[in-house]
Amino acid sequence: MKKNIPIVSVDSWLKPYQSQLEKRHRRCVLKELELTDGQQHLSDRCNNHLYYGLHATETGWVMREKAPNASRVYIYGDFSYWKVEERFALHPLGNGDWEIELPREFLRHGMLYKLWMVWQSGADERLPSYVRRVVQDDTTKIFAAQVWQPDQPYLWKNAAPVRPTHPLVYEAHVGMATEEGKVGTYKEFETSVLHRIKLLGYNTLQLMAIQEHPYYGSFGYQVSNFYAPSSRFGTPEELKSLIDSAHGLGIRVILDVVHSHSVLNEHEGLSRFDGSYDLYFHDGERGTHPVWKSRCFNYAKNDTLMSLLSNLKYWLEEFRFDGFRFDGVTSMCYHNHGIGVDFLEYSQYFDSNVDEDALTYLYLANRLTHQIDNEAITIAEDVSGMPALAYPATLGGIGFDYRMSMGVADFWTKTVKEVPDEHWHVGDIFYRLTDHRNEEKVISYVESHDQAMVGDKTLIFRLIGPKMYDSMSLFTPDWEVDRGVALHKMITFCTAALCDDGFLNFMGNEFGHPEWIDFPREGNQWSYHYARRQWSLVDDKSLKFNCLNNFNQNLIAALTATDLLSFPAVPIVRDISQQILAFSRGQAVFIFNFNPDKSFTNLPIHCKSGKYKMVLSTDNPCFGGFGHIDEATEYFSREGVLQVYLPARTAVQLTLTN
């Protein structure tokens, strides 16, 4: 795979668009030069968070805000008995900036405050745009900014682990990571969930819903306060402790960052912050997302760029995140947000529907992230296949390290939903699981949080149905459950074994969590029943949930023991009529029998000559299998042919030992 040459030399289909790619890249470079005056790195210039907001000084406090449309700005709160007084008015500094200095005794750690914003046609309360701590009143449900200045800063204990060659990502939501019907905390996650991730073998934790969001049910994707870690989960120090402990366990932590849009709320968010609709966003119809009903950033404005770029620097330096998964990249890249569009022609990546300003921002975001931490990783959630998105910025790309392979999850959902497994096409499976732009690295997955949301079904629920509730005991055999468990293992095994660069799993899917995700809302009587993870199921060794978890743990171990993902997947057998799929990676051979009825004895597999041992079998009783395969058997490939016994709906991994 060539990744050190311009992308048009890798993908010949891009040659007709070479001039447009060069123009796009030139636009990105010129914007970077503009923001840095050509003298500094972006990482030296993106410091809005150190200037704006509330900061302690040697003599007291200083509050700064950007509000060019405001005619007056006041700070008020506990210290003023919530009265707006002239003595607490901010003074204009020019360029839309406002400032006030306050004596130290006026503010204390834990006090609540807000801004009162006045403009030509009105006035209203606002939360500071760079606020770092927001809390919600339990009774009134109203949000307020909170002074957060602990006596002692958090003392970090552990350095970040070395960047893995292949990210094995555990996607998680802190709030729903508890079994109790409540919002979980950073501390509970640290003490109760991190060790599970470590035991499973994942090397990267992706944390969702960290940026503050007023509506819990938005899954964290309707952000109001971009610099504030959500207080519903605990304190900033507790989040730092979680990340620190993960680092101590050898797990890197990335933030699921939302820079694609912002919540419509005005009292809590940035919308109409200073009375204008276009401070950070597009004005008019373009400023509101037609589906998400949120505000769309105007990436052509330097104020927007510097705010968002500074936000990335803040999370990297203040909380020591090891990178980002950028949400909603497709929505950012196109004026129509990619809604209802099938991207079937290359021309669609270069026509007037493309938001070149958004692509420029994404380029700058990647440049900044890698300048601050050259081991940080960035992942793009893009379904459109935008060329050069996950290609080095120095070679004309946008600079993401990885792209989410979203088509794999869609393929499995469609296959399980619409095609009986006796008709599964192994050639199609191999093609779909390995189909991506050759010049880019991808993160593959069977299902993320998206596939588990209410209105859809998780993979295991789609395979087994209501029997998930009462037929998962090891002591009550059921053919429908056995079928579902077998296919769940094979689908996960096949996807992970064929992933080129990295693999992702959403919290709980490793053990076949039985239910979908639905956060408390009016439609479900504000219930937490589906906004939790039932860890007791996986901890019960008499249930097949525990077996699925055991399999996932052993699968990750088998893939990482000899760095198999560094070797290409080479097809050996794609027998459509018999539903046999086999391929090799390095010294390992993977063999899948998707046939629901037929077992094979002495199945011939062409591979390197030598002695093989069995590393992993989905038929192992510890994994919910039947134990038909003797895993102690030694296999010999003579004259390049290996013969194996493979029961129906079973997969194995063999490794050459000499």
Side-chain angles (χ1 to χ4, degrees):
M1 188 180 299
K2 298 179 180 179
K3 295 181 178 174
N4 58 350
I5 57 177
I7 191 171
V8 294
S9 298
V10 182
D11 184 352
S12 60
W13 290 92
L14 283 171
K15 288 186 177 179
Y17 306 98
Q18 181 170 353
S19 63
Q20 288 164 278
L21 278 167
E22 291 172 350
K23 181 180 179 182
R24 180 175 290 171
H25 181 64
R26 186 162 55 250
R27 179 192 184 101
C28 293
V29 172
L30 289 175
K31 177 57 72 172
E32 183 176 2
L33 289 172
E34 177 188 342
L35 296 179
T36 60
D37 293 328
Q39 304 295 318
Q40 296 173 295
H41 290 301
L42 276 170
S43 57
D44 298 322
R45 294 299 299 269
C46 298
N47 296 307
N48 281 23
H49 57 297
L50 302 179
Y51 181 77
Y52 297 110
L54 181 67
H55 299 278
T57 66
E58 292 182 1
T59 58
W61 303 86
V62 61
M63 175 73 199
R64 299 189 189 94
E65 190 56 81
K66 176 165 284 293
N69 190 59
S71 56
R72 300 287 286 170
V73 182
Y74 301 86
I75 184 172
Y76 70 114
D78 289 339
F79 62 91
S80 70
Y81 301 97
W82 291 99
K83 294 180 180 178
V84 177
E85 300 180 14
E86 196 62 34
R87 60 182 175 142
F88 298 122
L90 279 68
H91 310 293
L93 299 176
N95 196 36
D97 292 343
W98 300 78
E99 179 186 88
I100 186 173
E101 295 185 15
L102 296 172
R104 182 166 297 278
E105 63 270 17
F106 273 53
L107 296 174
R108 297 188 307 277
H109 176 69
M111 276 188 167
L112 303 181
Y113 68 100
K114 293 185 179 183
L115 297 178
W116 184 256
M117 196 77 61
V118 182
W119 56 91
Q120 185 175 3
S121 58
D124 209 339
E125 63 182 38
R126 293 288 186 265
L127 299 184
S129 58
Y130 289 81
V131 63
R132 298 191 182 191
R133 173 78 172 170
V134 172
V135 294
Q136 185 179 27
D137 186 271
D138 291 335
T139 303
T140 65
K141 305 302 180 184
I142 294 174
F143 287 85
Q146 186 175 44
V147 178
W148 200 256
Q149 195 72 24
D151 292 335
Q152 295 293 331
Y154 181 81
L155 298 177
W156 294 88
K157 305 175 187 65
N158 302 299
V162 174
R163 172 176 169 166
T165 305
H166 300 285
L168 302 172
V169 184
Y170 195 88
E171 182 185 44
H173 185 285
V174 168
M176 61 175 290
T178 175
E179 187 153 355
E180 300 174 63
K182 64 169 191 174
V183 177
T185 67
Y186 298 124
K187 201 65 185 174
E188 289 170 326
F189 192 97
E190 178 183 351
T191 58
S192 300
V193 182
L194 277 183
H195 75 278
R196 296 180 183 273
I197 302 171
K198 174 65 175 178
L199 286 173
L200 286 167
Y202 290 87
N203 57 35
T204 304
L205 168 63
Q206 177 184 310
L207 287 180
M208 309 172 61
I210 296 300
Q211 295 171 294
E212 191 61 88
H213 45 291
Y215 179 43
Y216 185 50
S218 75
F219 220 141
Y221 291 120
Q222 293 274 343
V223 174
S224 52
N225 314 107
F226 288 80
Y227 287 84
S230 182
S231 62
R232 57 169 57 86
F233 307 138
T235 68
E237 287 67 37
E238 288 168 341
L239 173 59
K240 291 177 182 179
S241 180
L242 188 167
I243 296 170
D244 200 7
S245 293
H247 286 167
L249 293 172
I251 302 169
R252 291 169 66 86
V253 187
I254 61 175
L255 176 66
D256 191 0
V257 71
V258 183
H259 281 182
S260 48
H261 62 132
S262 178
V263 71
L264 194 64
N265 304 37
E266 296 178 1
H267 286 169
E268 296 88 3
L270 298 176
S271 184
R272 210 162 68 105
F273 180 75
D274 61 356
S276 67
Y277 286 93
D278 61 350
L279 177 55
Y280 298 108
F281 309 105
H282 290 288
D283 200 0
E285 183 177 345
R286 189 179 173 190
T288 303
H289 197 287
V291 175
W292 298 340
K293 304 303 178 186
S294 51
R295 296 306 312 277
C296 298
F297 286 110
N298 183 349
Y299 304 102
K301 301 189 69 170
N302 284 356
D303 284 339
T304 302
L305 295 178
M306 293 302 289
S307 177
L308 294 177
L309 292 170
S310 299
N311 188 236
L312 297 177
K313 183 176 181 178
Y314 167 74
W315 290 111
L316 288 169
E317 295 189 340
E318 182 69 20
F319 290 89
R320 301 196 180 181
F321 278 99
D322 303 299
F324 304 100
R325 180 264 198 186
F326 281 73
D327 177 72
V329 169
T330 303
S331 177
M332 299 170 70
C333 289
Y334 305 94
H335 295 309
N336 66 2
H337 308 292
I339 299 170
V341 178
D342 291 326
F343 292 89
L344 303 176
E345 298 179 6
Y346 270 56
S347 61
Q348 292 172 284
Y349 303 126
F350 301 97
D351 61 20
S352 60
N353 184 39
V354 175
D355 190 334
E356 297 290 348
D357 295 316
L359 285 174
T360 299
Y361 165 67
L362 292 172
Y363 166 91
L364 296 170
N366 280 284
R367 290 280 289 168
L368 171 76
T369 299
H370 294 116
Q371 285 175 10
I372 294 172
D373 181 359
N374 61 9
E375 289 204 338
I377 67 168
T378 56
I379 305 172
E381 188 216 25
D382 170 52
V383 73
S384 75
M386 171 65 75
L389 193 66
Y391 201 68
T394 53
L395 296 174
I398 300 301
F400 281 99
D401 297 299
Y402 302 91
R403 181 203 297 275
M404 297 289 289
S405 189
M406 302 177 73
V408 170
D410 291 341
F411 166 73
W412 280 124
T413 297
K414 183 178 178 64
T415 298
V416 173
K417 182 179 180 180
E418 300 178 3
V419 184
D421 63 290
E422 60 265 28
H423 298 309
W424 287 6
H425 192 297
V426 294
D428 200 26
I429 289 174
F430 185 88
Y431 170 74
R432 295 300 185 95
L433 269 54
T434 57
D435 180 33
H436 62 82
R437 302 190 64 84
N438 290 329
E439 74 278 3
E440 297 183 333
K441 295 181 179 181
V442 295
I443 305 293
S444 298
Y445 59 100
V446 178
E447 50 183 344
S448 67
H449 69 277
D450 284 328
Q451 283 69 40
M453 292 298 289
V454 68
D456 204 344
K457 295 180 180 179
T458 60
L459 173 66
I460 195 71
F461 203 87
R462 198 177 289 283
L463 288 168
I464 297 177
K467 287 194 174 182
M468 292 291 298
Y469 296 117
D470 54 19
S471 301
M472 291 293 283
S473 171
L474 289 171
F475 308 111
T476 56
D478 183 286
W479 76 268
E480 290 180 278
V481 171
D482 290 340
R483 169 190 176 272
V485 168
L487 289 177
H488 190 278
K489 288 181 291 185
M490 292 187 71
I491 289 171
T492 304
F493 192 3
C494 195
T495 304
L498 282 174
C499 73
D500 266 1
D501 306 293
F503 180 71
L504 177 142
N505 167 72
F506 176 68
M507 176 178 67
N509 289 352
E510 69 275 8
F511 66 86
H513 198 279
E515 292 173 335
W516 52 88
I517 301 168
D518 187 16
F519 285 90
R521 55 186 174 86
E522 187 175 0
N524 64 16
Q525 291 75 55
W526 303 103
S527 170
Y528 286 89
H529 180 77
Y530 296 110
R532 61 195 180 105
R533 296 284 91 174
Q534 300 180 57
W535 303 110
S536 59
L537 296 176
V538 68
D539 292 338
D540 188 339
K541 294 184 179 180
S542 70
L543 298 178
K544 292 178 182 177
F545 298 107
N546 180 263
C547 297
L548 290 172
N549 191 78
N550 292 340
F551 174 73
N552 198 280
Q553 179 180 352
N554 281 267
L555 167 61
I556 297 300
L559 292 178
T560 56
T562 53
D563 196 24
L564 286 178
L565 299 185
S566 293
F567 298 91
V570 180
I572 300 173
V573 179
R574 284 175 285 186
D575 190 327
I576 298 168
S577 61
Q578 302 288 2
Q579 293 185 281
I580 298 294
L581 173 64
F583 54 90
S584 65
R585 296 194 83 151
Q587 303 291 76
V589 175
F590 301 85
I591 314 167
F592 293 79
N593 178 8
F594 282 100
N595 197 303
D597 305 310
K598 189 174 181 179
S599 298
F600 295 88
T601 57
N602 299 322
L603 180 69
I605 303 295
H606 294 270
C607 57
K608 296 177 183 177
S609 296
K611 184 172 71 173
Y612 288 77
K613 69 175 181 179
M614 186 161 293
V615 175
L616 189 64
S617 166
T618 62
D619 191 50
N620 190 309
C622 291
F623 309 150
F626 297 100
H628 294 314
I629 297 177
D630 182 0
E631 296 183 34
T633 300
E634 292 183 336
Y635 297 83
F636 294 88
S637 173
R638 295 181 175 89
E639 296 182 358
V641 179
L642 182 74
Q643 292 185 324
V644 299
Y645 165 60
L646 200 59
R649 292 194 182 117
T650 301
V652 297
Q653 176 185 339
L654 304 176
T655 297
L656 182 67
T657 59
N658 63 10

